[in-house]
Amino acid sequence: MSFLKGLRCRECGRDYPKEALYVCEYCFGSLEAAYDYDGIREVLTRDKILKGPKSLWRYRELLPIDGEPKAGFYSGYTPLVKADILGKELGVTNLYIKDDSVCHPTCSFKDRVVAVALSRAKELGFDTVACASTGNLANSVAANGAWAGFNRYIFIPANLEQAKIIGTLVYSPTLVAVNGNYDDVNRLCSEIASKYRWGFVNINLRAYYAEGSKTVGFEMAEQLGWRAPDHVIAPAASGSLITKIWKALKEFDKLGLLEKPMKTKVYCAQALGCSPISTAILEKSEVIKPVKPSTIAKSLAIGNPADGYYAKDVIAQSGGAAATVTDDEIREGIKLLARTEGIFTETAGGVTVACAKKLIEQGIIPKNEVIVLTITGNGLKTQEAIQDAVGKPALIEPSLASFEERVMSGRKTAPAAPAPSTIV
Ligand SMILES: *Cc1c(COP(=O)(O)O)cnc(C)c1O
Ligand SMILES: [Zn+2]
């Protein structure tokens, strides 16, 4: 049973058939999936979700496919961790980490959007999928596309982290490294997409792809006991994730799945070296000025964000705010999360943690409400960003004497361990 009615222009509201279309012929607005919410309301209950698969497909009715899912059976359903140790350090009482860096085939939230895009690509009859990527999408299309039996063409900026390149090549796609930044890659891909009949997950399948990000928001609410968080901080590259977390919480609210009306404020986290959305919000500017990215947060390095205006609107409508952080602050953010919660996130997660710290210190996020940090990727993929910031192991000879001399000398007994955090 399908609740996907079609696609609709986000600007002028014109309706389009549910094909591989992404831009309105009349106003050039982007297209978005439109659903039969009355139909969904009749079948979708908390109980049905609770009995569903332990993957993002437990929210299948609210995802843009017609038939059964065809990819991504191991994506989604990631932990929500009550982060009491980090919370104490930041001076807040109700802090959670939505940890999308684990329990995913390629260790980032991109496995959600790709699950949906590839399922829809099958339904639309594509045998080849492609993408323009800042790294994590490349990993995810390469891996999930292999499992689902697609030919894969993947385009990346040539200067990506080693682990993101190797973590793509290992799945044997055609990987094309472009001498240019992501915005150059994306422009090239739009041209290729108009010539070849391929399913570009974030271009001609973008209306479907983007809906996969809603499942981050659905899970947050479900895991909090059918409550929307008071504050959600999320990183932005194209700005899509931010808009979809908000959309997800509004959909749950509209469908009567929440305990209380949703009043979530959403906050945009970006690196200072590529902060077109956060800067527009901070400067109260109507326009989002494209920038040339220069930051260690390469997964977020989109200088001309496709969903920038929608992300900015969500922040404004929700009453949220934005922050930017330097590369040093990003490294500190990565180390802070690792030291307090035992979670090793990539640079994008460092941006989120560091921006959250700033927003809390500035008093913009209050101390006693429910705060969720969206941790979107795994630190093992961006090790070069922090290799000079984590110190070195203590090197000793294989003897007790050497251990005591070089490690234990002058050391007092260890302080009492803090109480561990719990998984919700
Ligand atoms: C792609 C990505 C994002 C942001 O995605 P958008 O929806 O384009 O804003 C955030 N974090 C990580 C790790 C990513 O790979
Ligand atoms: Zn339009």
Side-chain angles (χ1 to χ4, degrees), residues 84-396:
D84 288 337
I85 303 174
L86 177 60
K88 199 158 176 220
E89 191 129 341
L90 298 181
V92 295
T93 55
N94 245 321
L95 183 68
Y96 295 82
I97 306 288
K98 180 59 176 160
D99 189 4
D100 260 21
S101 72
V102 293
C103 307
H104 273 146
T106 66
C107 301
S108 90
F109 99 96
K110 290 297 196 300
D111 287 322
R112 299 176 183 272
V113 283
V114 169
V116 177
L118 296 191
S119 290
R120 189 64 186 147
K122 283 270 174 199
E123 292 183 345
L124 293 173
F126 288 104
D127 59 13
T128 301
V129 290
C131 67
S133 172
T134 57
N136 285 314
L137 186 59
N139 298 166
S140 186
V141 170
N144 290 290
W147 185 87
F150 285 105
N151 303 317
R152 293 142 292 146
Y153 285 82
I154 291 168
F155 299 82
I156 54 169
N159 75 343
L160 281 195
E161 298 93 342
Q162 270 300 305
K164 291 202 176 150
I165 294 173
I166 296 166
T168 304
L169 287 172
V170 70
Y171 305 104
S172 296
T174 302
L175 179 63
V176 184
V178 178
N179 271 320
N181 61 31
Y182 174 84
D183 300 285
D184 300 320
V185 176
N186 194 42
R187 218 173 305 118
L188 170 65
C189 285
S190 297
E191 242 178 281
I192 296 172
S194 62
K195 175 144 187 210
Y196 292 81
R197 211 197 105 74
W198 294 348
F200 268 89
V201 302
N202 55 344
I203 301 177
N204 55 353
L205 296 175
R206 190 172 179 84
Y208 308 103
Y209 156 98
E211 291 286 288
S213 287
K214 289 193 307 191
T215 60
V216 181
F218 294 149
E219 286 177 25
M220 283 178 188
E222 181 185 337
Q223 290 167 314
L224 286 169
W226 308 101
R227 287 181 173 82
D230 299 314
H231 308 274
V232 174
I233 302 139
S238 72
S240 176
L241 171 64
I242 281 184
T243 66
K244 296 296 176 171
I245 290 174
W246 164 259
K247 181 178 179 186
L249 296 170
K250 299 239 313 189
E251 282 182 341
F252 262 21
D253 194 8
K254 184 156 72 175
L255 292 167
L257 295 168
L258 298 179
E259 288 285 321
K260 285 192 281 188
M262 173 268 200
K263 288 184 300 194
T264 309
K265 295 183 177 177
V266 183
Y267 302 80
C268 176
Q270 290 199 300
L272 190 58
C274 182
S275 59
I277 305 171
S278 280
T279 298
I281 294 165
L282 288 166
E283 292 179 353
K284 300 190 169 55
S285 159
E286 278 307 307
V287 285
I288 293 176
K289 279 197 228 105
V291 299
K292 257 207 163 14
S294 168
T295 168
I296 58 168
K298 294 181 184 184
S299 55
L300 304 180
I302 297 184
N304 188 10
D307 289 290
Y309 286 95
Y310 300 113
K312 188 163 89 67
D313 280 354
V314 160
I315 305 297
Q317 272 185 53
S318 73
T324 61
V325 285
T326 65
D327 284 357
D328 278 342
E329 288 171 313
I330 296 168
R331 290 188 194 95
E332 285 308 311
I334 292 173
K335 288 168 66 182
L336 175 61
L337 183 63
R339 171 168 64 76
T340 54
E341 297 297 330
I343 294 170
F344 182 15
T345 185
E346 70 147 75
T347 46
V351 171
T352 303
V353 171
C355 283
K357 182 165 185 276
K358 197 167 270 189
L359 290 162
I360 291 164
E361 280 169 3
Q362 291 170 341
I364 294 171
I365 296 181
K367 300 200 178 304
N368 299 317
E369 299 182 1
V370 175
I371 305 168
V372 179
L373 309 191
T374 316
I375 296 302
T376 46
N378 192 298
L380 293 171
K381 293 204 218 180
T382 62
Q383 297 189 48
E384 47 272 68
I386 54 149
Q387 65 187 4
D388 296 329
V390 290
K392 294 241 160 31
L395 185 64
I396 66 168

